[in-house]
Amino acid sequence: PLADKIDTNIISLSRFIIEKQKQAKNATGDYSLVLNALGFAFKFIAHTVRRAELIHLTGLFGTSNATGDQQKKLDVLGDEIFINTMASSNIVKILVSEEQEELIRFETTEGTYAVCCDPIDGSSNIDAGVSVGTIVSLFKITSPPSEPGCEQDVLRSGHDMVAACYALYGASTHLLLTLGDGVNGFTLDTNLGEFILTEPDVRLPTDHPKKIYSVNEGNTCYWDESVKTFFDALKQPQDEDNEPYSARYVGSMVADMHRTVLYGGLYAYPGSSKSRNGKLRLLYEGFPMAFLIEQAGGKAVNDKGERILDLVPTKIHDKTSIWIGSSRDVDKYLKHIGKL
Ligand code: P6P
């Protein structure tokens, strides 16, 4: 019968969130509201990214963001969509965005959450049709709702995050989400307009994770000697298959990280003489990716071998070096620097 072929009991993101709320003790529903607002923002951005070519949204907008990146029209649009979606949730009190120099405070008095995001990560690739994504970290605010939000609400340890997620606008739109109890993968069904649970309990492959390293080797001349020797070693035949590692680098962190989660391997953005702390920002790239990878059974450290989640930012756009992926590969780096 037809019913055998069609799954008539699919789990949408909304249903997933409700089930999590039912499991939570004395849930107020605020958490569910934020997560649903995030889901809507991802759907709205996905829709906009996919129309970009049609409505001439590619190309430069003519301004630059907090850290000097030239803003693409989609960067600005993605940022506006995020700001409006979070503001209208009436639960988000403050927003840190890669595209905004200053913290954004919303006019709510019931705000109990802080959102940090990179609305369109990897946007330099957008004109070439390469996958881009949105990366988000979520903190529960400890100060009283009546007090205006402040930077102290997000200048905290990565362990304070209550959730982290990314949306990947690729062949399909994928959402990977952790609430601190594992990682779940959703795929956007554009006909339903719903994210559907397609990869419950995502784990990095443990037996034979792919031997892949993902780094911008164009920075080699700026790297410390120990970083150069580490990657040179990966290019030599090794391990039981006596094969060297393969190189894969998209230049869009969400695309590189999604491959790393599903296939295994190592993604790295080391510090260099050009930028001591690398390029990626701690609050809305390092922290969320580290939370997701650890919840999926992997590791994430900085150049010194410190766990990313142990770090505490001093400014909202602080950068961090990062070595993230399969424990097998991050441990190789830790051994290389004498931390294991
Ligand atoms: P590079 C995109 O600008 C980004 O923030 C990440 O998405 C990406 O992994 C990295 O920077 C690419 O940087 O210096 O290799 O072009």
Side-chain angles (χ1 to χ4, degrees):
L2 189 56
D4 292 351
K5 295 184 179 54
I6 295 175
D7 180 353
T8 56
N9 192 23
I10 51 176
I11 299 182
S12 66
L13 177 62
S14 317
R15 176 175 160 185
F16 176 85
I17 290 167
I18 289 166
E19 284 173 9
K20 286 293 176 186
Q21 180 176 325
K22 281 189 322 197
Q23 291 162 18
K25 292 177 289 301
N26 53 56
T28 62
D30 286 0
Y31 195 37
S32 301
L33 276 177
V34 182
L35 296 174
N36 275 307
L38 288 171
F40 176 73
F42 297 140
K43 286 192 281 192
F44 194 161
I45 294 176
H47 175 68
T48 308
V49 164
R50 297 192 187 300
R51 289 170 62 224
E53 303 286 340
L54 292 175
I55 50 177
H56 309 303
L57 274 178
T58 59
L60 290 180
F61 187 70
T63 57
S64 61
N65 67 9
T67 40
D69 298 334
Q70 279 213 325
Q71 285 185 306
K72 299 265 183 178
K73 290 171 190 166
L74 271 171
D75 272 327
V76 176
L77 263 181
D79 191 43
E80 285 176 13
I81 288 170
F82 227 88
I83 292 170
N84 295 335
T85 318
M86 295 301 107
S88 57
S89 74
N90 199 34
I91 295 289
V92 175
K93 192 174 191 178
I94 54 174
L95 172 68
V96 170
S97 166
E98 181 192 44
E99 305 304 331
Q100 301 288 331
E101 178 122 23
E102 304 299 328
L103 182 84
I104 297 178
R105 290 178 180 80
F106 294 126
E107 295 304 313
T108 166
T109 54
E110 294 100 65
T112 51
Y113 284 91
V115 173
C116 305
C117 78
D118 183 353
I120 307 275
D121 179 79
S123 59
S124 57
N125 295 296
I126 206 116
D127 295 2
V130 174
S131 299
V132 295
T134 302
I135 316 174
V136 175
S137 58
L138 184 65
F139 293 86
K140 187 139 175 59
I141 288 186
T142 47
S143 54
S146 52
E147 276 173 31
C150 65
E151 295 202 343
Q152 290 318 314
D153 289 317
V154 289
L155 297 179
R156 300 154 69 174
S157 152
H159 295 288
D160 283 4
M161 268 183 286
V162 291
C165 56
Y166 65 69
L168 172 66
Y169 311 113
S172 301
T173 297
H174 293 282
L175 169 63
L176 231 62
L177 170 70
T178 182
L179 307 177
D181 58 352
V183 177
N184 286 287
F186 301 81
T187 304
L188 181 62
D189 178 325
T190 47
N191 296 318
L192 274 177
E194 289 281 355
F195 279 105
I196 306 301
L197 180 65
T198 46
E199 288 106 2
D201 193 23
V202 175
R203 304 285 297 169
L204 280 153
T206 42
D207 55 327
H208 309 300
K210 285 239 188 321
K211 288 164 66 172
I212 292 173
Y213 73 88
S214 186
V215 72
N216 184 344
E217 300 207 70
N219 292 327
T220 301
C221 65
Y222 303 114
W223 288 343
D224 297 345
E225 207 46 44
S226 80
V227 173
K228 291 180 194 172
T229 53
F230 178 77
F231 286 111
D232 287 346
L234 292 189
K235 297 171 185 172
Q236 305 310 318
Q238 56 195 294
D239 304 326
E240 63 279 354
D241 61 5
N242 203 31
E243 288 291 328
Y245 275 56
S246 286
R248 290 285 184 278
Y249 193 70
V250 180
S252 224
M253 188 183 199
V254 182
D256 282 317
M257 282 306 303
H258 196 58
R259 182 200 57 247
T260 304
V261 170
L262 297 183
Y263 296 178
L266 173 71
Y267 174 90
Y269 208 108
S272 69
S273 57
K274 215 168 55 165
S275 173
R276 193 35 51 202
N277 283 329
K279 172 184 180 185
L280 302 176
R281 290 74 168 192
L282 182 55
L283 263 180
Y284 41 82
E285 286 170 319
F287 271 173
M289 289 303 185
F291 195 9
L292 283 161
I293 211 82
E294 288 201 3
Q295 288 289 316
K299 283 187 178 179
V301 299
N302 63 9
D303 282 346
K304 294 180 216 148
E306 296 163 329
R307 196 173 163 199
I308 295 288
L309 292 184
D310 290 344
L311 302 177
V312 181
T314 53
K315 295 189 303 301
I316 57 175
H317 296 295
D318 271 2
K319 295 179 182 177
T320 181
S321 52
I322 190 164
W323 301 72
I324 182 171
S326 297
S327 299
R328 170 200 64 188
D329 298 328
V330 176
D331 285 351
K332 274 191 167 102
Y333 174 69
L334 291 171
K335 284 191 188 85
H336 181 73
I337 59 170
K339 290 288 168 75
L340 199 63

